[in-house]
Amino acid sequence: MDGGWSETMDATEETQRICDQVKGPVEKQTGKNYRVYTAVKYRMQIVAGENLIIKVHVGGADYIHLSVFQELPCNGGKTVLSGVEQHQTKDSPLVPFTN
């Protein structure tokens, strides 16, 4: 449904591709270089493009949440990092955020 957030879903190859596109900005924002960087879960919101919240495993018991916006192809199709929440766990709920 347009405007509402989806349920939490298992990450797909496409989710991982999106994560890989914003890895540089994520590492710059957090000041860390991630050896492990695996998309695990995600939620999406359809707007004039897609908002995504993605849970990423970054090693051991550490996870981060990414807020990402994907433009529609007709608007350029860019993938933009909107925010990062550090110090998350495997069980932390994916909730919308900006920072």
Side-chain angles (χ1 to χ4, degrees):
M1 85 182 138
D2 287 355
W5 285 94
S6 71
E7 294 298 316
T8 300
M9 299 175 279
D10 290 335
T12 63
E13 287 182 21
E14 174 67 11
T15 313
Q16 184 64 51
R17 187 185 66 75
I18 292 166
C19 286
D20 292 343
Q21 287 181 343
V22 298
K23 186 177 182 185
V26 168
E27 290 181 336
K28 185 174 183 179
Q29 187 170 330
T30 62
K32 298 178 181 176
N33 291 319
Y34 297 108
R35 286 181 155 174
V36 175
Y37 186 79
T38 307
V40 179
K41 300 278 186 185
Y42 76 103
R43 293 178 71 191
M44 65 184 296
Q45 178 189 42
I46 304 297
V47 289
E50 290 180 347
N51 286 318
L52 297 122
I53 305 167
I54 306 169
K55 180 183 294 285
V56 180
H57 180 229
V58 292
D62 296 332
Y63 292 79
I64 58 175
H65 291 175
L66 308 181
S67 178
V68 178
F69 176 70
Q70 275 205 292
E71 290 182 343
L72 292 170
C74 62
N75 293 333
K78 287 189 281 188
T79 301
V80 180
L81 179 68
S82 304
V84 179
E85 286 187 330
Q86 298 184 73
H87 314 295
Q88 301 299 311
T89 68
K90 180 180 180 182
D91 298 321
S92 299
L94 285 173
V95 293
F97 70 94
T98 55
N99 62 358

